[in-house]
Structures are given as structure tokens and as C-alpha cells.
Amino acid sequence: MYVAVKGGEKAIDNAHQYLAEERRGDTAIAELSLEQISEQLSHAVSRVMAEGSLFDPELAALAIKQARGDLIEAIFLIRAYRTTLPRFGYSNAIDTAQMALDRRISATFKDLPGGQILGPTFDYTHRLLDFTLAAEGLGPAPAKEAEDTLEKDMPRVLELLNNEDLIEPALPTGEMDDAPVGDLTREPLEFPAGRDLRLQNLARGDEGFILSLGYSTQRGYARNHAFVGEIRIGEVAVEFTPEELGFSIEIGDITVSECETVNQFKGSKKVPAQFTRGYGLSFGHCERKVIAMALVDRALRWKELGEDMVAPVQDEEFVLSHSDNIQATGFVEHIKLPHYVDFQSELELVRRLRANTLEEEDQMEAAE
Amino acid sequence: MPQIVQETRRHWMGVLARANLADIEGCWEGEQNGIVYDFLRAPETGLVMVQGRAGGNGQRFNLGEISVTRCSVQLPDGVIGHAYVAGRDKRHAELAAAFDALLQIPVRRQEILSRVIQPLADKYNAAHDLRSRKAAATKVDFYTLVRGEDAA
């Protein structure tokens, strides 16, 4: 039990003032601007937007600056901020097939309609520190430009398999498209959770946690034999239908990362042998996150596919209850706050138990 | 509103929502007619929950929110303009709503479409095309090595 304590106001004020000075660091060094953060630390901004569950690069940059680069603290700031704003409604579902692509790759098919586009990737770099970046003022050579833009029509890779009926359809037959969609920001999570709630939870879940769980499936804990069918990163339009208009309008573009896995499935009592799907989607440029998310999404579908539950990654109560780093850090870190009264009673208890034991020993000795 | 105008309106609202504030301000300065309007709804920032679909085209789910600023203005003759603009820029939403109102006046429409909307759309498309050409330069050309026994 946590019992409130009073006092310490002055020390707290001074600590926060000290924090502000430390955050700024040496004033002889130029201060970071929000534009510098959003332009040059864009993956940090992506992660804060994805797990803060709010697409707003400028706010994410501010949160990163305020949190001194502690991304979980920054995510906390974003989650707190969003509670101050009214909700205008829900968008139409984004159409990732219409994405303006920065990147699109497949590990399953070499020759794809539209081709494989590497985009601005860390892949195939040698992971050697680049000391030219330590020297200021040396701009990079401009990116090469092709003569033509990418083809407009880039079919989904998994639809190529779907055409042959070798993979389950994305929308299971009989499932209604206008089915209500659960929203974790409105109702507390209950089990069993539908795939809608699972995907929402994973999309805002901690990248490290999801990464480790995804890794566990590859190491044999509920192995699901995943191939990356397709990864897409780029911009999609957000459409919203305001009541006063009665028709949908585009309100802006967002950058998203998407991963679809193709998973081997030998069939079960319920379902014939075919490929199955895992799905990952997140705000920003979060490729690692969406690959891991797709692995975890697929593992959590064991019941619907008639598989056995054998590993932690399939246990939705375990996964969904521990994926949120703000809930996790709140509970883990709160034990550093004053628990004096609590601890006093524990202390009393242990002293009493020891005193009782000593008394009994004395009595035994006396009896002998 | 006739269907054809609604499609055009969807287009101009999308262009205004994506344009940057400095460009819209520049266009607004071009409105030298002393346009006045009242706020039906002063600029207000809120959230829209963005939905995705499992597998890209399957079951819907809530991905996360986006900050959005909306505004509604009314011209003296009663025409109402609306704006919903991603981000938190109140002035952006205000000017987008003002242009939306003006664009609904048939005698003004063509002129504003060509003076404001088309250049904004062109700028947006040019930036997108440039990005697309940079991505296209990273397209992988796979080839199969000719094996010894196949060589002529």
C-alpha cells in the first residue's frame, strides 16, 4: 500500500530546477531545436509516435527533448498530453495498398510486380562507425534520383498467393466489415480479446518487449515458420468523415510501416493446410517493430487456427497485459517512491517474529 | 451540393489540409478584396483515431491517434467553410476553412482553383514525385548468373 507523504516541496522544486539545467547541459553547446530532433533523430520520433499512440512529429520531438532522450519518458509525456484533447472521431481505415512508398521489399518473391525497393535502409550497411558524421559541415552526397517515379500500382504480395487460394483470405469469410472495433483508449482490456484489440495493443506496445516475444517464436517457443511476405514503408492519406460534411475528406498524410508475414501451416481439424498471415502496422519508420509484431500477432491466433497453446507468446493475457511500457514503468518504478509506513509495518512484523523465536529458544533452553 | 462539386471540394480540402502554412498565408495575402468571415467554430485542436486493417484489407483495428485542428467560418452571405487539418496549427485550419467557403461561391471557384489550389497541389505532387524517384533509384535489379553448362 502506498501512503501519501507530505513535505519536501522545496527539495522537489530544487530537484526540478537542477533537472532543467542538466537537461540543457553545457550552454556553450548550441541548444537542440525541435526541427533538428524531428529531422535528424527521426527514428526516435517514430518510436515515440508509435508507442505514444499519437501521430504528431513536432510533439514527439518536444517530448524527446523534454525527456532528455529517454524515449519511455517521452512516450509517457505524449500519452498524458493526448488525454487533454477531445476526440473528433474515427478515421476511415487507411489504405496501405495506396501508400506512397519509400520502401517495399519481399523475402518470398524475387520478381514482384512493381519490384523490390530498398529505400533509405540500414540493411547492407557494414555497421562500422562512420567518423565523417563526427565532423560537422560535411553534408552527404544527394540521393540518386531515377528518371521515373515508382509504378502507381503495387499489388500486395500476399494477394499473389491469395489468387491461388494458397493463403487464408485477409478478411475471413462470414466476417462483417462493419463489425464494431474495440478501442483500448475507451474501454479497459478484457479477455479473450479479439484480433482488433490485440493489434491495437501491439501497435502501441513496447518495441523491446514485442521484439523479444517475436524472437522467442523463432527460437522454438510456438514456432510459426514466418517469412516476410512484404514490408512497406511510406505515406498514406488519412480520411475522415466530419458529420457536418457527410462525406469523407483527406486531412493529411501519415508515415507508416507495415509487415505481412506468410506463415507455414500444416492444417488442423479446423483449417486445411495453407499459408496463414501475421500482421504488423505502426506509425512512423518502425520496421523492426512491425516484423516482430507480425510474429506475435500470428502466434496469438493459435486458438482460431486450432493450434496448441505451448508458449508465453501465445498467452494473450500475458502478452497484452505486459506490452505497455507506460503501465509497466509506472508499476515497476513506483516502488522507488516513499513506502515508509508500509515498510515500518513489515519491519515491526519481522522484529516480532524474531523476538518470538528467541523467546521460544530461551524457554526450550530453560526447560532442558 | 451536386456530385461533381463534392468531388472537387474533396480535392481542394485535401490539398488545403496538406499545404504548409506559409504557402497558404501567401495565397491568402492574394485575397485583396477585404474578405471578412465569422467563426462558426473557432479553431480547435483534437484527435482522430486512425484505423488500419489486419493484412491491409481485413478486419479493422485502431492504430493510434493523430492530432487534428478543425475550424468553421461563415461569410457574410451565409456560405460556410469547414476545415479539418492534421496537426495543431490553428491558423492553418482557419485559412483552409476560409478558402473552403470562398471556393463554394461559383463565380469565385475557378479563379481560386487555378490561383491557389492548383499551385499548392503541384508543389505537393512535385515533392512526392521527387521522393518516389529517389525510392525508384533503390529498386533492386535481380539477375541470374549464367551457369557454365548453360553458356553457349
Side-chain angles (χ1 to χ4, degrees):
Chain A
M1 185 182 62
Y2 177 75
V3 179
V5 288
K6 279 191 147 189
E9 287 89 348
K10 189 148 194 272
I12 291 169
D13 284 347
N14 290 348
H16 291 168
Q17 211 169 325
Y18 189 19
L19 168 69
E21 184 182 283
E22 287 284 296
R23 173 192 296 124
R24 176 60 184 87
D26 184 349
T27 51
I29 311 286
E31 186 177 348
L32 267 178
S33 70
L34 300 190
E35 292 77 15
Q36 285 173 329
I37 295 171
S38 57
E39 287 296 309
Q40 297 175 40
L41 297 177
S42 58
H43 285 233
V45 167
S46 287
R47 182 165 177 193
V48 170
M49 293 197 300
E51 295 171 33
S53 206
L54 177 64
F55 192 95
D56 189 320
E58 191 187 45
L59 277 183
L62 172 60
I64 290 166
K65 179 172 177 174
Q66 185 177 335
R68 308 176 69 189
D70 178 339
L71 297 190
I72 291 184
E73 181 72 19
I75 291 160
F76 199 160
L77 294 169
I78 293 297
R79 292 273 188 95
Y81 175 80
R82 70 158 284 283
T83 64
T84 65
L85 295 179
R87 170 80 69 79
F88 294 159
Y90 293 83
S91 81
N92 301 356
I94 55 172
D95 184 358
T96 52
Q98 299 300 318
M99 193 183 294
L101 293 165
D102 283 344
R103 173 166 167 83
R104 184 256 201 156
I105 55 165
S106 171
T108 51
F109 295 103
K110 176 167 70 73
D111 298 308
L112 291 174
Q116 307 243 9
I117 297 118
L118 297 180
T121 180
F122 293 127
D123 291 354
Y124 314 114
T125 62
H126 293 104
R127 266 71 182 210
L128 299 172
L129 276 175
D130 179 358
F131 287 96
T132 62
L133 292 174
E136 283 178 52
L138 292 178
K144 297 276 189 299
E145 294 164 31
E147 294 258 317
D148 298 315
T149 57
L150 294 168
E151 288 161 45
K152 289 280 173 254
D153 191 26
M154 296 261 189
R156 290 181 175 287
V157 172
L158 268 58
E159 292 312 309
L160 303 174
L161 284 170
N162 201 15
N163 294 341
E164 282 188 71
D165 214 15
L166 294 176
I167 191 164
E168 58 171 341
L171 192 66
T173 36
E175 200 126 331
M176 299 295 289
D177 185 42
D178 55 2
V181 182
D183 186 350
L184 294 174
T185 67
R186 289 295 153 104
E187 317 99 36
L189 185 59
E190 282 180 22
F191 303 104
R195 195 176 180 202
D196 52 345
L197 287 174
R198 298 199 301 251
L199 288 170
Q200 183 181 10
N201 176 287
L202 296 175
R204 54 196 259 138
D206 183 75
E207 179 174 311
F209 181 74
I210 310 258
L211 175 67
S212 295
L213 283 174
Y215 181 40
S216 75
T217 69
Q218 294 179 300
R219 291 194 63 255
Y221 292 87
R223 190 186 294 280
N224 55 38
H225 305 276
F227 296 92
V228 167
E230 185 169 11
I231 287 172
R232 287 176 178 235
I233 299 174
E235 280 191 350
V236 290
V238 177
E239 283 194 18
F240 177 65
T241 308
E243 264 180 38
E244 60 270 33
L245 284 176
F247 57 88
S248 69
I249 52 172
E250 292 176 344
I251 60 177
D253 297 320
I254 57 173
T255 302
V256 294
S257 304
E258 179 185 51
C259 174
E260 285 199 87
T261 53
V262 184
N263 302 69
Q264 201 186 78
F265 180 63
K266 57 181 187 290
S268 69
K269 283 177 194 149
K270 288 184 180 176
V271 184
Q274 61 179 348
F275 291 110
T276 55
R277 297 165 183 254
Y279 189 65
L281 182 68
S282 113
F283 285 150
H285 197 131
C286 295
E287 182 167 286
R288 179 188 306 119
K289 163 78 175 275
V290 294
I291 297 171
M293 177 174 167
L295 294 174
V296 175
D297 169 52
R298 174 59 186 78
L300 286 168
R301 297 182 57 212
W302 64 275
K303 201 181 284 180
E304 142 199 13
L305 295 167
E307 295 169 324
D308 293 328
M309 213 272 254
V310 294
V313 66
Q314 296 169 294
D315 182 340
E316 69 173 17
E317 189 159 349
F318 177 80
V319 173
L320 305 185
S321 302
H322 300 117
S323 63
D324 191 292
N325 52 26
I326 300 311
Q327 285 172 6
T329 205
F331 206 56
V332 166
E333 288 202 57
H334 101 282
I335 63 173
K336 74 189 169 186
L337 299 174
H339 282 68
Y340 306 135
V341 177
D342 238 3
F343 187 67
Q344 279 302 321
S345 69
E346 299 265 324
L347 202 57
E348 282 302 311
L349 180 66
V350 174
R351 282 186 181 135
R352 207 164 53 240
L353 290 171
R354 286 187 64 124
N356 290 348
T357 316
L358 287 175
E359 212 168 284
E360 279 168 26
E361 280 173 8
D362 287 348
Q363 283 168 1
M364 300 242 300
E365 274 172 30
E368 279 166 13
Chain B
M1 192 177 294
Q3 191 64 29
I4 179 72
V5 178
Q6 181 170 312
E7 267 313 300
T8 320
R9 191 173 176 200
R10 261 176 56 83
H11 171 70
W12 78 55
M13 290 183 87
V15 170
L16 288 166
R18 289 183 173 98
N20 74 48
L21 177 62
D23 290 341
I24 300 187
E25 284 280 12
C27 296
W28 187 252
E29 279 165 24
E31 284 294 332
Q32 297 296 349
N33 312 330
I35 305 286
V36 290
Y37 51 80
D38 289 323
F39 285 123
L40 277 187
R41 176 158 58 202
E44 176 194 18
T45 298
L47 302 168
V48 166
M49 176 58 93
V50 178
Q51 296 197 327
R53 287 180 181 281
N57 49 7
Q59 186 181 359
R60 285 181 298 144
F61 68 97
N62 289 309
L63 173 63
E65 291 162 316
I66 179 172
S67 56
V68 178
T69 303
R70 66 181 175 186
C71 180
S72 300
V73 302
Q74 187 165 33
L75 300 177
D77 59 4
V79 177
I80 295 172
H82 297 293
Y84 279 77
V85 173
R88 286 165 295 110
D89 200 315
K90 293 191 160 69
R91 179 72 176 158
H92 184 174
E94 176 184 338
L95 292 182
F99 272 121
D100 179 53
L102 292 177
L103 279 156
Q104 290 174 68
I105 303 170
V107 294
R108 295 293 322 272
R109 185 173 306 134
Q110 204 46 54
E111 179 255 322
I112 301 176
L113 282 177
S114 55
R115 184 178 63 81
V116 176
I117 302 301
Q118 194 57 49
L120 292 178
D122 288 346
K123 185 174 178 183
Y124 171 85
N125 290 333
H128 257 67
D129 283 357
L130 176 61
R131 240 186 130 73
S132 183
R133 281 188 284 111
K134 287 179 183 174
T138 69
K139 190 189 268 195
V140 181
D141 287 320
F142 279 109
Y143 55 90
T144 312
L145 293 172
V146 177
R147 288 164 36 154
E149 62 264 32
D150 295 333

